[in-house]
């Protein structure tokens, strides 16, 4: 990866713990030493179940959540909540719910004018009008005059999400953080929005974080995938490596319960058997619920659900192991394969091939 552009936004060993019951001293271990780098013109997908820490990570990268430990670097410099407005000019977030994220009392014109004016980049009425139209054209809402004076409730879900993306683009950011931004949309327009985001990434060299519970969609859209389980990144690599040669048992379970992306069925939210649903539900059905992060499991956090767990997995934190120079995972099987698991089955290195 030597010829890659330098990261715009980096998280280095970011940890977030929330107090939930001060008297009992209970805390939620929401994020543990999570690191990733976002580079211009590239997308990293952060994949995992609900409650795995994905949104906490995104909020921390947007400076909406103070990390308990670790650092967020923008352009190599430590990010600070004191410079939040300057930071927001460079790092924008688009949320899952286009219905809730746009004020229903305002027309699209107002919703887009605000960030343009707040960030002080408008020179006059004529310039404002030109920028408003250009913004709508960038998100393929054309002709712009059809949308500028509409209220959010007069738009479809996909059109609303395009307005939300246009609002984020109004400040000409370098980084776009997308939190489940297609999951609430009608299945027929998910691909349109992903194609729009891919075009923006390629044409405008935006660095993107794409948060999703859908690993098949991540494969389609992202350059790299980070798989998150119970607040920890357990596997990281190119989208191709992670989906074609998954090294962590949790990633394999996600993939096994996901429709074949080559058939593009994930866009219709269907499993291979034709029923509706996406991967994490299926994992939960088959392997139990995600752990309580107030009392996270000892050792490997995945061990209570892992079909390949060994006795040592309950007590020893698995090491991070490089599978290739572009792909790593945290699992003891990558260090010492060919031993018995807790169910008496033999595990082998075949997991990585
Ligand atoms: Fe499963 Fe053990 Fe690997 Fe964790 S370290 S994923 S419990 S085999």
């Amino acid at each position: 990866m030597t010829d890659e552009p330098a990261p715009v936004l980096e998280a280095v060993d970011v940890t977030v713990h929330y107090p939930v019951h001060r008297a009992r001293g209970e805390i939620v271990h929401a994020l543990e030493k999570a690191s990733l780098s976002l580079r211009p013109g590239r997308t990293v997908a952060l994949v995992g179940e609900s409650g795995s820490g994905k949104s906490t990570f995104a909020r921390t990268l947007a400076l909406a959540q103070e990390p308990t430990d670790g650092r967020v670097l923008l352009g190599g410099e430590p990010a600070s909540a004191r410079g939040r407005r300057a930071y927001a000019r460079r790092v924008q977030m688009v949320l899952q719910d286009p219905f809730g994220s746009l004020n229903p009392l305002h027309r699209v014109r107002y919703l887009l004018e605000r960030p343009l004016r707040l960030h002080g980049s408008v020179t006059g009425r004529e310039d404002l009008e030109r920028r408003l139209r250009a913004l709508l054209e960038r998100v393929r809402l054309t002709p712009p005059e059809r949308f500028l004076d509409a209220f959010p409730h007069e738009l479809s879900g996909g059109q609303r999400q395009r307005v939300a993306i246009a609002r984020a683009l109004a400040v000409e950011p370098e980084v776009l953080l997308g939190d489940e931004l297609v999951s609430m949309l009608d299945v027929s327009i998910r691909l349109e929005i992903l194609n729009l985001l891919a075009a923006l990434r390629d044409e405008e060299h935006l660095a993107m974080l794409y948060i999703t519970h859908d690993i098949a969609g991540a494969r389609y859209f992202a350059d790299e995938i980070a798989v998150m389980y119970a607040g920890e990144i357990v596997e990281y690599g190119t989208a191709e490596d992670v989906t074609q040669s998954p090294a962590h048992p949790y990633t394999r379970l996600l993939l096994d319960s996901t429709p074949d992306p080559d058939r593009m069925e994930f866009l219709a939210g269907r499993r291979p058997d034709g029923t509706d649903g996406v991967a994490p539900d299926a994992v939960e059905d088959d392997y139990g619920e995600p752990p309580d992060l107030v009392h996270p499991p000892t050792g490997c956090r995945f061990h209570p659900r892992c079909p390949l767990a060994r006795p040592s997995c309950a007590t020893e934190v698995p090491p991070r192991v490089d599978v290739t120079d572009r792909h790593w995972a945290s699992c003891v099987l990558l260090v010492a394969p060919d031993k018995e698991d807790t169910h008496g089955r033999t595990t082998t290195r075949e997991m990585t091939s």
Side-chain angles (χ1 to χ4, degrees), residues 181-196:
L181 47 70
V182 298
S183 63
M184 286 187 71
L185 298 179
D186 189 275
V187 291
S188 62
I189 52 175
R190 289 179 193 171
L191 184 57
E192 285 178 30
I193 297 292
L194 290 182
N195 282 337
L196 168 67

Side-chain angles (χ1 to χ4, degrees), residues 49-50 213 254 257 271 276-286:
E49 292 163 292
S50 299
H213 54 260
L254 284 180
S257 47
R271 296 175 182 157
D276 285 341
V278 290
D281 296 341
V283 172
E284 193 169 317
D285 288 349
D286 294 341

Side-chain angles (χ1 to χ4, degrees), residues 29-331:
H29 299 73
L31 207 58
E32 298 289 348
K33 289 187 172 295
S35 300
L36 57 74
S37 300
L38 301 178
R39 300 169 195 275
R42 300 183 71 84
T43 302
V44 175
L46 189 59
V47 178
E49 292 163 292
S50 299
S52 61
K54 308 186 301 294
S55 294
T56 300
F57 202 3
R59 285 169 48 76
T60 307
L61 288 172
L63 297 194
Q65 170 67 51
E66 182 95 16
T68 310
D69 200 4
R71 292 180 301 153
V72 176
L73 305 173
L74 180 62
E77 299 292 325
S80 158
R82 275 179 299 188
R84 198 179 297 252
R85 178 171 289 193
Y87 189 88
R89 204 174 281 147
R90 299 176 65 185
V91 180
Q92 281 282 305
M93 190 159 172
V94 180
L95 300 173
Q96 174 182 26
D97 180 7
F99 304 89
S101 66
L102 301 177
N103 188 329
L105 300 177
H106 293 299
R107 297 178 193 273
V108 169
R109 176 184 293 280
Y110 177 88
L111 297 169
L112 299 183
E113 267 186 28
R114 244 181 130 244
L116 286 171
R117 288 188 187 282
L118 275 176
H119 287 274
S121 56
V122 177
T123 57
R125 190 74 227 170
E126 211 171 290
D127 181 46
L128 176 62
E129 202 62 28
R130 183 183 58 76
R131 283 165 177 258
L132 287 170
R133 287 167 185 275
L135 267 180
L136 290 176
E137 283 166 359
R138 277 163 80 190
V139 297
R140 318 306 192 243
L141 285 175
T142 56
E145 53 273 19
R146 204 180 124 208
F147 299 95
L148 269 174
D149 292 313
F151 286 99
H153 73 267
E154 295 174 315
L155 305 176
S156 69
Q159 288 168 341
R160 272 192 286 257
Q161 195 59 296
R162 285 171 193 264
V163 171
I165 293 168
R167 186 174 58 176
L169 295 177
V171 299
E172 305 287 344
E174 297 163 64
V175 180
L176 202 61
L177 308 171
D179 190 358
E180 297 276 11
L181 47 70
V182 298
S183 63
M184 286 187 71
L185 298 179
D186 189 275
V187 291
S188 62
I189 52 175
R190 289 179 193 171
L191 184 57
E192 285 178 30
I193 297 292
L194 290 182
N195 282 337
L196 168 67
L197 292 169
L200 291 170
R201 173 195 63 198
D202 297 341
E203 292 163 9
E204 306 189 16
H205 300 289
L206 278 167
M208 287 196 190
L209 180 67
Y210 174 63
I211 293 178
T212 182
H213 54 260
D214 175 7
I215 195 167
R219 179 195 171 191
Y220 165 77
F221 177 56
D223 299 290
E224 283 145 36
I225 293 177
V227 179
M228 180 159 266
Y229 183 79
E232 297 177 335
I233 295 178
V234 296
E235 182 161 4
Y236 194 101
T238 65
E240 183 77 7
D241 283 347
V242 170
T243 56
Q244 297 305 302
S245 306
H248 195 281
Y250 177 61
T251 311
R252 293 200 64 161
L253 292 183
L254 284 180
L255 286 162
D256 286 349
S257 47
T258 301
D260 180 350
D262 290 334
R263 297 198 301 273
M264 305 298 278
E265 284 171 338
F266 69 93
L267 291 167
R270 292 196 190 94
R271 296 175 182 157
D273 63 4
T275 58
D276 285 341
V278 290
D281 296 341
V283 172
E284 193 169 317
D285 288 349
D286 294 341
Y287 295 95
E289 294 181 2
D292 167 15
L293 292 185
V294 176
H295 305 289
T298 54
C300 173
R301 288 190 176 184
F302 188 51
H303 84 263
R305 301 170 81 192
C306 180
L308 302 177
R310 302 168 179 178
S312 64
C313 296
T315 54
E316 293 171 20
V317 175
R320 171 178 153 167
V321 179
D322 288 332
V323 182
T324 71
D325 61 342
R326 299 156 62 89
H327 182 194
W328 61 261
S330 295
C331 176

